Amino acid sequence: CIICGMDLKTFYKTSHTAETKNKTKKQYCSLHCVVHDNEINKTDLLNLKVVDTNTLKLIPANSAFYVVGSSKPATMSSTSKYAFSKKADAKKFSKQFGGKVKTFYNTYTIAMKDFSHTN
């Protein structure tokens, strides 16, 4: 991860990709690190994608359904966040492992709370 240095293969299920205005591609281990780069570093990321937990394929983050706060391990945060392209898949995961199904925008706002101490 370009923000924290964690191994992207190990944390692939929670990883995200994006590009900058000058088309530089970036990959992150977690939404936490995306928020850090976008909000703290003021990178202004575009074309954000996330790995679908079931298919392991990249999907547009803004249309993903995230399960927030499941019993599965979190990456770079105390609150886990796993993404799905289908709401039904997110609900099934939530039933099995707990957590709430949220939109990307709700989940991004939750991830921003990790940095509230810096404001």
Side-chain angles (χ1 to χ4, degrees), residues 82-119:
Y82 288 85
F84 300 85
S85 60
K86 298 176 184 171
K87 192 172 191 176
D89 290 344
K91 285 183 173 182
K92 183 178 177 183
F93 182 92
S94 177
K95 275 188 175 181
Q96 188 173 0
F97 301 107
K100 303 269 187 212
V101 177
K102 307 272 186 187
T103 66
F104 166 73
Y105 298 102
N106 295 137
T107 307
Y108 190 95
T109 301
I110 290 166
M112 284 178 60
K113 292 177 184 175
D114 289 344
F115 302 96
S116 62
H117 65 280
T118 60
N119 294 336

Side-chain angles (χ1 to χ4, degrees), residues 3 8 12 27 35 40 53 55-56 58 60-61 74 81 89 96 104-105 109 111-112 116-117:
I3 297 298
L8 292 170
Y12 185 74
Q27 189 169 0
V35 171
I40 306 297
T53 301
T55 66
L56 302 181
L58 288 169
K81 299 164 194 75
D89 290 344
Q96 188 173 0
F104 166 73
Y105 298 102
T109 301
M112 284 178 60
S116 62
H117 65 280

Side-chain angles (χ1 to χ4, degrees), residues 48-65:
L48 186 63
K49 294 186 178 181
V50 62
V51 172
D52 179 299
T53 301
N54 284 351
T55 66
L56 302 181
K57 293 182 180 175
L58 288 169
I59 59 172
N62 64 353
S63 63
F65 298 94

